Amino acid sequence: MKEAIKLYKHQEEAIEFLEKRNLKGYIALPPGLGKTLIVASLIKKYKPKKALILAPKSAHQVWKKELERLEVPPQSYVLYTYEKFISEHKNKFNGNQRSVPYYTDFLVLDEAHRIKNIKAKTTRLLLSYGKCRIPKVLLSGTPFKEIIDLYTQFFVIDPSILGRWKEFIDTYFVRETNLFGGVEYVPLDGSREKILEKVSPYFFKKERDEIKELEKIEVSYTFETPFQYSWEAFKSEVAKSIYEELRDEYGDDFSLEDFSEEEFLERFAEEIKGEFIKFYRLAEINNKEKHLFIKEFVSDYPDTVIYTFFVEEALILSKMFDCYVITGKTPFKEREEIVKKQDKPIVITSALSEGANLDQYGNLIFSTIPSSPIRFAQV
């Protein structure tokens, strides 16, 4: 008989939290704190007939590992990616609020922040589970970037928490028209706090520093790149330069209303590609001093993960020292094998920022900055 798996105190607290709420809630723990094991333990304990687990492909190996460790029968759950779920079941859902695309008696959404867009097909499909009286557990280390992102996620848990969409928007936001004639929802003063207060009874959230059983993460070294930038300032400058170019082309009576969003975004993308990516990429992939530092560091500390935004830099580093490299082109089976081994440094891009459990590694180096705050937190 296998030895019982010991849970950390915060994991036991999360289980107790969900049990007090009829197994409906949101576990918002930072990456690496065992969210998967928490839910796998609940599936083992409550023995659903068919648990439906939606998770990124990169997280599937972790789910399978934890469920196998707990000896959960494979026939008692089904593991989907969000993409596969919608492709297989979108035609089974007729839009009726009383119907669901797939029967389950225990719903799990891993990286639940993926369903923040209320107009997306996947989101609309999953909102149909809102009125189902079944256990529903959502997981994410990065639940929201904008406070409005929480609406769809908590609607799945229980539609009564934040109410109907129109009521929610009218209460907490003001509608504003953007440059392209589209609608933006701007939070009213105090809305963020009020929304968080509404969802807090279903929201289990702890920061890593609050958990005494775990070792503290320390930033021991910061390597300054010669390329310094402010992303918001850069975007503002790009938009300003494009606007000035358009005025030169169309005259002083030029109005953005007469200019297509597609053409503006095309120019914006070209400007980004021509300026930001060009200079940032060159600065980073040619930063030999930084690369030598990384090489020396991993020779002393092989239990290190190195993140880079650029595939070219990943390949440069792989030629400097013995390591694994995972990019978007790395076959999934090969990724699984690398994550299983964890016996030498890994250089990753954003392709492995979600779901992979690299718990044997003690060090993380950001060779470049991720493309967004949420991506930064996930890595």
Side-chain angles (χ1 to χ4, degrees):
M1 185 175 177
K2 290 186 178 180
E3 184 179 347
I5 295 173
K6 180 174 174 55
L7 300 176
Y8 285 110
K9 184 179 178 182
H10 72 276
Q11 292 173 315
E12 293 174 342
E13 290 173 349
I15 289 173
E16 183 181 354
F17 175 88
L18 289 168
E19 288 179 327
K20 287 181 178 178
R21 290 155 181 80
N22 297 318
L23 302 183
K24 291 183 181 180
Y26 202 125
I27 304 300
L29 294 172
L33 295 191
K35 296 187 291 293
T36 307
L37 182 56
I38 291 169
V39 180
S41 299
L42 286 169
I43 292 174
K44 176 179 174 62
K45 181 176 180 179
Y46 288 94
K47 299 178 174 59
K49 293 179 181 178
K50 184 67 73 174
L52 171 60
I53 305 168
L54 300 189
K57 187 70 173 176
S58 57
H60 281 207
Q61 184 60 38
V62 179
W63 275 103
K64 290 175 183 176
K65 175 185 173 183
E66 298 294 17
L67 290 164
E68 286 174 7
R69 284 175 65 202
L70 291 167
E71 299 181 311
V72 175
Q75 64 271 21
S76 66
Y77 67 89
V78 60
L79 185 58
Y80 272 107
T81 63
Y82 286 87
E83 294 78 11
K84 186 177 180 182
F85 179 75
I86 189 172
S87 68
E88 289 193 8
H89 299 287
K90 61 183 177 183
N91 295 328
K92 300 176 185 177
F93 178 57
N94 59 16
N96 189 320
Q97 289 187 342
R98 294 184 179 181
S99 69
V100 292
Y102 181 91
Y103 169 77
T104 178
D105 53 350
F106 197 122
L107 178 65
V108 181
L109 303 184
D110 193 3
E111 303 294 353
H113 58 268
R114 288 183 166 217
I115 64 165
K116 63 185 179 182
N117 183 357
I118 196 168
K119 295 182 179 179
K121 291 181 180 178
T122 304
T123 303
R124 295 204 305 270
L125 211 61
L126 292 171
L127 290 180
S128 64
Y129 289 98
K131 293 188 177 181
C132 293
R133 296 180 179 179
I134 60 172
K136 288 175 280 189
V137 182
L138 277 60
L139 310 171
S140 178
T142 51
F144 65 96
K145 180 180 178 182
E146 306 293 342
I147 194 66
I148 198 171
D149 298 345
L150 291 178
Y151 178 81
T152 47
Q153 299 177 70
F154 278 89
F155 188 96
V156 172
I157 295 172
D158 187 336
S160 68
I161 298 173
L162 293 174
R164 294 179 179 273
W165 172 250
K166 185 178 184 305
E167 175 190 334
F168 174 73
I169 294 300
D170 290 344
T171 303
Y172 301 111
F173 297 86
V174 60
R175 295 172 177 83
E176 292 189 357
T177 304
N178 61 26
L179 289 173
F180 311 113
V183 176
E184 290 184 1
Y185 300 108
V186 180
L188 296 168
D189 289 344
S191 287
R192 187 179 190 278
E193 292 73 20
K194 291 176 182 177
I195 292 171
L196 288 175
E197 185 179 352
K198 283 268 190 181
V199 302
S200 62
Y202 296 87
F203 213 26
F204 183 85
K205 184 173 177 60
K206 278 183 180 287
E207 298 301 331
R208 187 182 179 94
D209 291 344
E210 298 177 58
I211 302 170
K212 297 179 181 179
E213 297 169 286
L214 301 178
E215 293 182 12
K216 301 297 182 185
I217 294 179
E218 296 183 3
V219 178
S220 57
Y221 190 87
T222 302
F223 195 90
E224 292 188 4
T225 174
F227 184 86
Q228 301 294 329
Y229 73 98
S230 164
W231 177 236
E232 291 302 324
F234 177 78
K235 287 195 295 185
S236 176
E237 287 300 315
V238 169
K240 189 187 299 182
S241 68
I242 294 174
Y243 185 80
E244 290 172 355
E245 288 175 8
L246 294 173
R247 285 192 62 182
D248 290 340
E249 289 181 27
Y250 292 89
D252 291 339
D253 59 347
F254 163 73
S255 170
L256 281 177
E257 294 178 1
D258 302 323
F259 194 69
S260 74
E261 178 179 357
E262 183 179 348
E263 188 175 352
F264 186 91
L265 291 177
E266 185 178 332
R267 292 203 184 199
F268 191 87
E270 284 301 315
E271 196 79 22
I272 293 288
K273 189 185 299 181
E275 299 296 330
F276 172 70
I277 296 296
K278 173 183 174 182
F279 291 113
Y280 186 49
R281 174 182 166 276
L282 288 175
E284 295 302 337
I285 67 175
N286 292 318
N287 194 336
K288 294 180 180 179
E289 185 182 356
K290 176 185 68 174
H291 295 160
L292 287 173
F293 165 80
I294 293 173
K295 180 181 179 181
E296 292 176 7
F297 185 91
V298 299
S299 67
D300 294 329
Y301 304 98
D303 59 331
T304 298
V305 177
I306 303 102
Y307 170 86
T308 174
F309 185 71
F310 302 107
V311 174
E312 298 101 315
E313 185 174 38
L315 298 177
I316 289 171
L317 291 171
S318 70
K319 293 175 181 177
M320 295 182 67
F321 53 86
D322 186 26
C323 63
Y324 296 115
V325 176
I326 296 179
T327 69
K329 293 184 178 180
T330 307
F332 183 72
K333 287 187 177 179
E334 186 178 332
R335 295 187 200 186
E336 284 186 324
E337 290 302 315
I338 291 172
V339 172
K340 279 182 184 177
K341 291 177 182 177
Q342 299 194 26
D343 56 352
K344 58 185 178 183
I346 300 182
V347 181
I348 66 170
T349 62
S350 297
L352 200 70
S353 59
E354 283 185 333
N357 188 356
L358 302 173
D359 54 8
Q360 292 185 32
Y361 286 84
N363 305 287
L364 172 62
I365 294 177
F366 285 97
S367 187
T368 59
I369 299 172
S371 55
S372 72
I374 284 185
R375 184 68 72 188
F376 186 92
Q378 288 169 340
V379 173

